[in-house]
Amino acid sequence: MDFYEVVYQRRAIRKYKPDAVPREVLHKILDAANWAPSGMNLQQWEFIVVTGEKKKQLGESYRQAAESFTRDWEEKRRQAFLEFAQNYGGAPVVIVALTDATDDPGVRKMHLESVSAAFENLLLAAYAEGLGTCWMTGPLQDEASMRRILDIPPEKEIVAVTPVGYPDMVAKAPSRKDPDLTSKVRWVE
Ligand SMILES: Cc1cc2nc3c(=O)[nH]c(=O)nc-3n(C[C@H](O)[C@H](O)[C@H](O)COP(=O)(O)O)c2cc1C
């Protein structure tokens, strides 16, 4: 698949078919993540691939957390969100990205940027494999439960989460705020 096609056509997917994703395909997209650039070449990212009972527990816990932070939302939007939270849109797999925790703000920034590069690789590779994903930081509102369910120690920081599965929706591309790059890019010489 053409690189730019992948970049332009990848979308956040929030409804998935229940079909299992072959392990070798998951391995392929995780390997793409592992080939990202990293600050000081530390390659300090880690991924947890969650399926089955643990995925169910994650979803139930996220829904419970969402019950409180969506209390003031309009009802239809709230119900749709809670349903998505409960089972991550029906995706058979959830991938959680971790990095080394640190108190040093400069090192933390570097780590977060490295993991973000890896995570974007993962999302793009998933799209190239016909899979849907949705970069999510919302579940971090339920971080304590995530740590408990997945046995994540304090030495690790949770960076992002994505469901992974075959899409059961077609997502509309959001428009660009500055499609001609007139205000977002400044050329200097
Ligand atoms: C850092 C980050 C955090 C995000 N967190 C969430 C989230 O918690 N829940 C969600 O449904 N989507 C989340 N998204 C997905 C964005 O809503 C989505 O990427 C954006 O609307 C643009 O749509 P697109 O990905 O289809 O281009 C997140 C994306 C990023 C990059």
Side-chain angles (χ1 to χ4, degrees):
M1 194 178 265
D2 174 66
F3 173 75
Y4 286 97
E5 191 183 325
V6 174
V7 170
Y8 291 133
Q9 293 187 2
R10 176 219 52 82
R11 294 274 73 80
I13 298 299
R14 298 185 177 90
K15 192 163 184 281
Y16 297 85
K17 295 176 182 163
D19 312 31
V21 182
R23 202 181 175 104
E24 54 273 23
V25 177
L26 291 171
H27 189 276
K28 210 168 164 189
I29 67 173
L30 288 158
D31 192 45
N34 199 36
W35 273 93
S38 59
M40 297 171 72
N41 190 27
L42 288 174
Q43 304 177 28
Q44 83 300 334
W45 44 66
E46 285 180 26
F47 301 96
I48 307 178
V49 182
V50 191
T51 55
E53 183 56 30
K54 287 289 182 186
K55 203 217 89 179
K56 200 165 157 232
Q57 286 177 24
L58 266 195
E60 277 163 8
S61 169
Y62 185 32
R63 182 191 168 110
Q64 267 179 28
E67 299 257 3
S68 69
F69 69 72
T70 59
R71 199 161 286 143
D72 300 333
W73 292 19
E74 182 272 319
E75 195 49 30
K76 203 171 154 204
R77 180 172 165 237
R78 180 170 193 246
Q79 284 312 323
F81 185 86
L82 293 177
E83 206 183 308
F84 172 62
Q86 167 118 28
N87 65 0
Y88 284 88
V93 181
V94 167
I95 294 181
V96 180
L98 308 175
T99 187
D100 293 346
T102 169
D103 291 333
D104 181 320
V107 175
R108 180 167 185 254
K109 183 167 154 54
M110 183 179 75
H111 281 175
L112 293 177
E113 291 184 19
S114 302
V115 183
S116 296
F119 210 59
E120 178 69 353
N121 272 12
L122 185 131
L123 264 57
L124 294 176
Y127 181 78
E129 293 296 329
L131 292 165
T133 54
C134 181
W135 188 318
M136 294 171 73
T137 50
L140 295 180
Q141 299 199 51
D142 187 33
E143 182 174 344
S145 304
M146 284 185 76
R147 285 187 180 277
R148 180 178 42 76
I149 293 165
L150 300 176
D151 201 15
I152 300 170
E155 300 76 46
K156 298 290 168 190
E157 175 166 2
I158 307 173
V159 181
V161 177
T162 182
V164 180
Y166 295 98
D168 197 16
M169 65 175 282
V170 177
K172 196 167 168 276
S175 62
R176 292 299 98 187
K177 291 195 172 161
D178 178 24
D180 299 326
L181 305 179
T182 44
S183 60
K184 287 195 184 291
V185 180
R186 189 157 64 97
W187 303 76
V188 294
E189 55 182 46

